[in-house]
Amino acid sequence: MPPRASSSKTAIIAGILAGLLAAGLGAFYLQQSTPQDGKAPAASSGAPAAEHSARAIDALMALPEIKAWSAHIEKASGGRAHGAVMETAPETRLVDGTAYYQLSFFESTPEAAHRWESFVVSPDGKRILVDDSVSGDLLSLEQWRKDSAPMQRIATQ
């Protein structure tokens, strides 16, 4: 019986991962094909939407908090869990007249993905705001660091 239980768990994990991949690819496809305010965010600069999305994701992944969280997750789980940044909505979010990508940092475990924090990032990756899930407000990185002390999150886990 134990091998069969392991096979079931493997199938469940594979299904979860396939679902997450399908959701991410679906969001990416919708992002590319859904116009915002009559035109895609990339139309103003001529660069493909995928390039803007990748630039926003790269900018978020370069944050010291994201790097530290990812390293902590890897180490604490013995490599069984990983940190990941994913686009969490197919549509951009308009902030001060600019379309921002909606991204979140997740801890991806064999059982599930757990959201740690949500962000909105400008297409050029130069402006990153934290989406406060409690108040619904957007916080600057400085305010978020001051209010939430995100680096302490890994010190207490």
Side-chain angles (χ1 to χ4, degrees), residues 12-156:
I12 291 169
I13 292 168
I16 290 170
L17 292 176
L20 287 172
L21 178 61
L25 289 173
F28 178 75
Y29 173 77
L30 287 174
Q31 175 63 35
Q32 293 228 353
S33 64
T34 304
Q36 301 295 319
D37 295 325
K39 62 180 182 178
S44 61
S45 67
E51 181 180 319
H52 283 276
S53 177
R55 194 174 301 144
I57 290 169
D58 289 346
L60 187 58
M61 291 177 64
L63 288 179
E65 292 85 358
I66 300 298
K67 289 179 179 180
W69 290 353
S70 292
H72 170 74
I73 290 167
E74 288 275 337
K75 184 177 179 182
S77 70
R80 291 180 294 122
H82 309 281
V85 171
M86 283 183 53
E87 199 166 353
T88 51
E91 67 279 349
T92 55
R93 181 172 173 179
L94 202 58
V95 178
D96 297 331
T98 301
Y100 280 67
Y101 291 99
Q102 299 181 79
L103 307 171
S104 290
F105 177 79
F106 288 91
E107 176 180 351
S108 178
T109 69
E111 293 81 27
H114 305 280
R115 185 188 62 79
W116 278 42
E117 199 67 70
S118 294
F119 303 86
V120 294
V121 183
S122 62
D124 61 6
K126 293 183 179 177
R127 187 156 185 231
I128 300 172
L129 301 170
V130 181
D131 191 358
D132 185 342
S133 60
V134 175
S135 70
D137 294 335
L138 294 175
L139 306 173
S140 68
L141 287 175
E142 295 77 23
Q143 188 66 44
W144 172 64
R145 288 172 175 147
K146 179 182 172 191
D147 294 349
S148 301
M151 295 299 264
Q152 292 301 312
R153 187 172 192 177
I154 58 175
T156 59

